[in-house]
Amino acid sequence: MEELPNLIKDLALILIVASVVTLLFKKLKQPLVLGYIVAGFLVSPHMPYLMSVIDKADIQTWADIGVMFLLFSLGLDFSIKKILKMGMAPVISTLTIVFCMVFIGMGVGHAFHWGRMDCVFLGGMLAMSSTTIIYKAFDDMGLGQQRFAGLVMSTLILEDILGVVMMVMLSAVAVGGDPDGGAMLGSLLKIGFFLVLWFVVGLFVIPTFFRSTRKLMTDETLLVVSLGLCCMMAEISTAVGFSSAFGAFVMGSIIAETVEAERVIRITEPVKNLFGTIFFVSVGMLVDPQIIVSYAWPILAIVLAIVVGQCVFGTAGFLLSGQSLKTSMQCGFSLTQIGEFAFIIASLGLSLGVISSFLYPVVVAVSVITTFLTPYMIRLAVPAYQSLERRLPRRWMRRLNHLGTSHQQSAQEQNAWKRLLRKMTANTIVYTILSIAVTALMLMLFLPFSRTILPHWWANGVTGLLTVTLISPFLRSIVMKNNHSEEFRALWTQSHLNRLPLVFTVLARIAIAAAILFYICNYLARFANAIVITLAIVTIVLMILSRRLKKRSIALERMFVQNLRSRDIEAEVYGRKRPLFEGHLLDRDLHISDFSIPANSSWAGDTLMQLKLRERFGIQVSSILRGRQRINIPTGSTILFPGDKLQVIGSDDQLSQLNKALRTELIGEDPDIEKREMKLRRITITKGSEFVGKTLMESGIRDVFGCMAVGLEEGKESLTPVDPKRKFEEGDMLWIVGEQEDIDRMERQC
């Protein structure tokens, strides 16, 4: 008999134990992540009373795949446009929290005299709050519609992005062994270069590929294609010196901008859940009770550092971003835990062999404790604010509570210089990276090939000409774009003092374009500097004057923007994307939320005028989403149906009251459900019946008695349909459908 491989035995053990434990945790309303960790502990060698995993190496390989798919899934939820539309508030709060928590983590490690890399990695783990746990807590507590919850989720998205960057930087630091040296700066530049390059190139290629193959993409083929692209980018990322997880995240973020993103998320979720389960189980396998007991004081110190640090610095970060004190405390108190990213960073440190073995189980123990504390910390925010309000001077409280309003007003009046420089910087970075990438490919790949078929100088000349031709649209965009924008013209006409700095911005971008051309010419021609500079200037002038290049540049940008916005357009059509004016409502303590009409709602069938939602709750219904139909600005005569999704504008309190009414104003169970059975009976119309001489409509069979006439029995094989104009006669045998009581009541009249 054939022996079953150890891998299958281990997988069966892991999945069975994980199934039982997670069902128990689901019953107890606890996060499933904790259930996976407990399951891992139960199948580990540290639990001698149960069966344990045989081959840890195979499980670790599967766990690495789990990390890759988790990051791919995270990338699918990431959108560069979503980050840009958040404004500066989440950016300021995220940077404040991350940097402060990193230093707190490093300080705690140094206090216990841990190694340098242990302290660095501990700081990275403490900086990442758990998106999964916080989302689950908000959902269970019914806080998802609150404004502070939206701010917290925006911050968590940015933290996840910084977590990916931090993983790459920690890898470089671990390999280089110099956290303060040039390796960190080089890694950061390398990350930025490849992230922008892959994202921009990917948005040209991937959406176009999906668009051209859309009719061929079944769920099965889309799953295979998506996972293939994920693994391909993971391999490319590994080849250039990054982790496979980073590459998976990049591919996920590219697919997130396509129309197929929702389908990809849906069909890849089971794969992510399977391998993610194995990853979290492998985390639990590293929990050593002896280490936890030995490091009880460090565990308590880290828990205290997370709770106090997030409450203080989290609140401070949101205050700095312009939020009121109450909102800032609600946000800061919600972030007091670590979760999945801490495990991923710890796994990275172990795989690189740069952190001590005790750190992993310590972090797992800290995560378990802080996860259980999360709901209580969220509830504690408002009482803590009220206590602080009683103790602080009124003048301080007034300033802190109105800080958000004043800051948001100043943010609305953005300086033209800031807008112009932001546009110029983004444009210059993107097109410079594209120019460098094309130049590198031409000089490293095309030049050696051309020298095999052409004389040396001819090959150099052809390569240089082709390279300049390919990058000329990019160089023109670097130099000319935004020079005729509204901000540029306004600053130019407002004051003569602005003109010199504006000219400097143009000269600086010309210098960047000239530097790229100088490098190409110097690499190929070795001419004197004067000749190279002259060629560069002439080329730039020709590019500036070329209308053909302008058209090519505009065509490339339009194609890029179309690919970038394709998913947004589709989401707006089907109601998954919020209106653009929502940001202006937030300045006035209003926002938009979605509410679904339950199937058993008492509102179903009523018009908006009958429900009087504005009078009752103070809210306004801006749109109704019904399947694939969208009703904008519905009138009072619009009828609501079960399953309708209402987009409602209102304050937090108004939306909470509406949500409560939706959940409570329901049609209850029918106590006489047995009486609702429909029956079929034959009734004979007698001589004294009131139906004699009346037509079907005049008889009131449907309106008065609540029954329905199926047909007349006239001795034929089938029933004869009742003619609405025919008058009933004595002896007619009428077949009736209705409830028992209604049929009996009608039969008494016959």
Side-chain angles (χ1 to χ4, degrees):
M1 183 175 181
E2 184 179 355
E3 182 70 18
L4 197 64
N6 291 333
L7 176 63
I8 304 300
K9 295 180 181 178
D10 290 340
L11 184 60
L13 177 62
I14 287 174
L15 295 181
I16 291 298
V17 175
S19 301
V20 175
V21 175
T22 50
L23 286 173
L24 177 61
F25 271 64
K26 190 73 173 177
K27 180 71 174 177
L28 299 175
K29 297 183 178 180
Q30 297 299 322
L32 296 185
V33 174
L34 293 180
Y36 295 142
I37 295 173
V38 172
F41 171 70
L42 294 177
V43 300
S44 69
H46 305 298
M47 191 66 178
Y49 305 105
L50 298 175
M51 296 176 60
S52 60
V53 169
I54 300 172
D55 193 340
K56 287 186 178 180
D58 287 338
I59 300 302
Q60 187 57 47
T61 301
W62 285 44
D64 293 339
I65 299 175
V67 173
M68 188 173 70
F69 286 146
L70 283 173
L71 269 293
F72 178 66
S73 177
L74 177 64
L76 288 173
D77 289 329
F78 166 75
S79 171
I80 188 66
K81 302 186 297 298
K82 188 188 301 182
I83 300 299
L84 294 176
K85 291 176 183 177
M86 289 176 185
M88 290 303 296
V91 176
I92 294 173
S93 58
T94 302
L95 293 176
T96 303
I97 293 169
V98 169
F99 282 111
C100 290
M101 294 306 297
V102 166
F103 284 113
I104 289 177
M106 295 175 65
V108 172
H110 283 298
F112 289 101
H113 306 289
W114 291 349
R116 190 177 189 184
M117 295 308 299
D118 289 336
C119 297
V120 172
F121 273 78
L122 180 63
M125 296 175 208
L126 266 58
M128 299 288 110
S129 297
S130 173
T131 305
T132 304
I133 294 170
I134 294 176
Y135 181 83
K136 179 72 165 58
F138 284 162
D139 186 54
D140 292 342
M141 300 171 69
L143 299 175
Q145 305 292 340
Q146 299 291 327
R147 181 171 180 266
F148 84 91
L151 291 170
V152 171
M153 297 310 296
S154 299
T155 300
L156 290 171
I157 291 174
L158 291 175
E159 281 191 0
D160 289 343
I161 305 308
L162 286 179
V164 176
V165 176
M166 190 180 297
M167 285 175 55
V168 181
M169 293 185 66
L170 288 175
S171 300
V173 168
V175 174
D178 182 15
D180 302 319
M184 185 172 292
L185 179 60
S187 299
L188 188 60
L189 294 175
K190 194 176 181 182
I191 293 168
F193 179 84
F194 281 101
L195 195 60
V196 174
L197 177 62
W198 285 336
F199 187 72
V200 173
V201 174
L203 276 176
F204 275 108
V205 178
I206 301 300
T208 304
F209 167 73
F210 277 134
R211 190 181 301 117
S212 60
T213 59
R214 189 168 292 158
K215 295 182 179 179
L216 304 176
M217 285 289 187
T218 62
D219 283 355
E220 180 180 355
T221 55
L222 185 60
L223 174 64
V224 174
V225 170
S226 302
L227 296 183
L229 291 172
C230 170
C231 295
M232 179 193 71
M233 187 58 80
E235 174 63 24
I236 295 175
S237 176
T238 305
V240 297
F242 297 137
S243 65
S244 58
F246 178 68
F249 170 81
V250 171
M251 180 52 67
S253 65
I254 294 173
I255 296 178
E257 304 299 343
T258 65
V259 174
E260 286 75 12
E262 297 293 338
R263 284 181 64 197
V264 173
I265 292 173
R266 174 176 55 83
I267 63 178
T268 58
E269 186 174 6
V271 179
K272 178 204 71 174
N273 291 340
L274 173 62
F275 287 98
T277 297
I278 298 174
F279 166 69
F280 288 117
V281 168
S282 70
V283 171
M285 291 170 59
L286 296 174
V287 176
D288 189 344
Q290 294 181 353
I291 293 180
I292 294 177
V293 173
S294 302
Y295 289 86
W297 287 111
I299 290 173
L300 293 177
I302 295 173
V303 170
L304 188 64
I306 293 172
V307 173
V308 176
Q310 289 285 10
C311 289
V312 174
F313 294 108
T315 300
F318 283 97
L319 275 174
L320 291 175
S321 70
Q323 307 305 316
S324 65
L325 178 60
K326 182 179 180 180
T327 301
S328 299
M329 291 184 68
Q330 287 178 303
C331 293
F333 279 57
S334 301
L335 297 171
T336 53
Q337 75 292 118
I338 59 174
E340 54 273 13
F341 241 113
F343 306 148
I344 294 174
I345 293 175
S347 298
L348 175 66
L350 280 181
S351 64
L352 296 173
V354 295
I355 65 173
S356 304
S357 58
F358 70 84
L359 192 57
Y360 207 138
V362 165
V363 169
V364 172
V366 170
S367 175
V368 172
I369 296 173
T370 54
T371 298
F372 280 117
L373 292 176
T374 296
Y376 303 102
M377 294 301 300
I378 296 175
R379 294 190 185 99
L380 185 62
V382 175
Y385 165 76
Q386 294 172 346
S387 176
L388 195 62
E389 187 179 31
R390 290 192 296 268
R391 288 170 172 77
L392 287 178
R394 287 188 176 181
R395 183 178 59 183
W396 290 18
M397 291 300 301
R398 188 165 54 250
R399 289 181 178 178
L400 289 173
N401 282 327
H402 290 285
L403 184 64
T405 304
S406 61
H407 188 88
Q408 289 170 2
Q409 288 176 351
S410 63
Q412 279 187 340
E413 301 169 358
Q414 294 181 20
N415 186 277
W417 269 112
K418 292 181 180 179
R419 294 199 303 269
L420 180 62
L421 291 176
R422 184 165 58 246
K423 291 180 180 178
M424 285 184 175
T425 302
N427 176 79
T428 303
I429 290 175
V430 170
Y431 284 110
T432 299
I433 290 176
L434 290 174
S435 301
I436 294 174
V438 173
T439 301
L441 289 174
M442 292 297 293
L443 297 181
M444 288 189 299
L445 301 179
F446 185 82
L447 179 60
F449 168 74
S450 62
R451 286 176 176 172
T452 61
I453 59 176
L454 294 172
H456 181 84
W457 289 110
W458 278 98
N460 287 4
V462 171
T463 302
L465 183 61
L466 287 176
T467 304
V468 172
T469 302
L470 290 173
I471 68 173
S472 55
F474 305 140
L475 296 182
R476 188 189 185 282
S477 295
I478 292 173
V479 176
M480 294 297 296
K481 196 166 178 63
N482 297 309
N483 290 349
H484 300 286
S485 63
E486 294 180 2
E487 295 86 356
F488 194 100
R489 290 198 301 266
L491 289 169
W492 186 271
T493 56
Q494 282 174 3
S495 173
H496 290 282
L497 298 176
N498 288 332
R499 295 186 178 182
L500 185 59
L502 289 171
V503 172
F504 177 80
T505 61
V506 177
L507 293 176
R509 288 178 286 141
I510 289 176
I512 293 174
I516 297 173
L517 289 171
F518 179 90
Y519 177 81
I520 296 172
C521 296
N522 193 52
Y523 187 93
L524 297 173
R526 311 293 183 184
F527 289 155
N529 291 340
I531 299 177
V532 174
I533 294 174
T534 302
L535 288 173
I537 294 174
V538 171
T539 306
I540 291 174
V541 171
L542 291 175
M543 287 189 296
I544 293 173
L545 299 177
S546 173
R547 293 184 177 274
R548 185 176 180 183
L549 285 178
K550 180 179 180 180
K551 292 181 180 179
R552 286 179 57 192
S553 177
I554 293 174
L556 286 173
E557 288 187 13
R558 286 177 177 173
M559 179 180 177
F560 175 78
V561 171
Q562 180 186 2
N563 288 339
L564 183 65
R565 296 193 63 247
S566 60
R567 188 183 176 192
D568 279 348
I569 295 172
E570 190 258 354
E572 289 177 359
V573 170
Y574 295 122
R576 296 192 303 273
K577 190 174 184 295
R578 298 291 181 84
L580 294 177
F581 62 80
E582 184 180 18
H584 300 288
L585 294 175
L586 294 177
D587 299 339
R588 294 157 179 80
D589 199 26
L590 297 173
H591 62 280
I592 297 178
S593 291
D594 295 339
F595 297 89
S596 294
I597 303 297
N600 58 339
S601 175
S602 62
W603 296 5
D606 290 343
T607 64
L608 292 177
M609 183 180 296
Q610 292 172 327
L611 293 173
K612 299 181 179 180
L613 299 182
R614 183 185 299 180
E615 290 81 359
R616 292 177 60 190
F617 307 104
I619 55 89
Q620 299 192 63
V621 179
S622 61
S623 300
I624 298 177
L625 308 180
R626 183 175 297 155
R628 303 180 76 86
Q629 180 186 10
R630 182 186 185 95
I631 305 173
N632 288 327
I633 318 299
T635 62
S637 60
T638 303
I639 301 174
L640 296 186
F641 294 93
D644 280 356
K645 182 186 290 184
L646 309 184
Q647 285 195 343
V648 180
I649 300 175
S651 64
D652 285 339
D653 291 337
Q654 293 168 345
L655 295 176
S656 296
Q657 293 175 14
L658 176 66
N659 187 39
K660 182 179 179 181
L662 263 177
R663 293 185 177 184
T664 55
E665 296 181 13
L666 305 174
I667 300 175
E669 295 291 337
D670 189 352
D672 299 321
I673 191 66
E674 292 83 0
K675 297 180 180 180
R676 302 294 171 257
E677 182 184 10
M678 298 286 286
K679 294 189 176 182
L680 176 67
R681 183 181 299 180
R682 187 181 68 178
I683 296 176
T684 302
I685 298 178
T686 60
K687 181 178 181 181
S689 173
E690 65 176 46
F691 296 139
V692 174
K694 293 183 178 179
T695 64
L696 181 63
M697 182 177 298
E698 294 170 346
S699 66
I701 292 176
R702 180 184 292 268
D703 299 331
V704 178
F705 298 97
C707 297
M708 181 178 67
V710 177
L712 286 169
E713 182 176 324
E714 297 179 339
K716 300 179 182 179
E717 184 176 350
S718 59
L719 295 177
T720 303
V722 180
D723 186 351
K725 298 180 180 179
R726 179 186 183 280
K727 294 184 178 181
F728 292 119
E729 301 174 355
E730 178 186 353
D732 282 348
M733 289 182 288
L734 191 64
W735 285 85
I736 301 296
V737 169
E739 296 180 6
Q740 182 68 49
E741 291 183 0
D742 294 332
I743 293 177
D744 293 340
R745 186 160 53 90
M746 179 181 170
E747 193 172 26
R748 287 194 293 269
Q749 302 299 321
C750 291

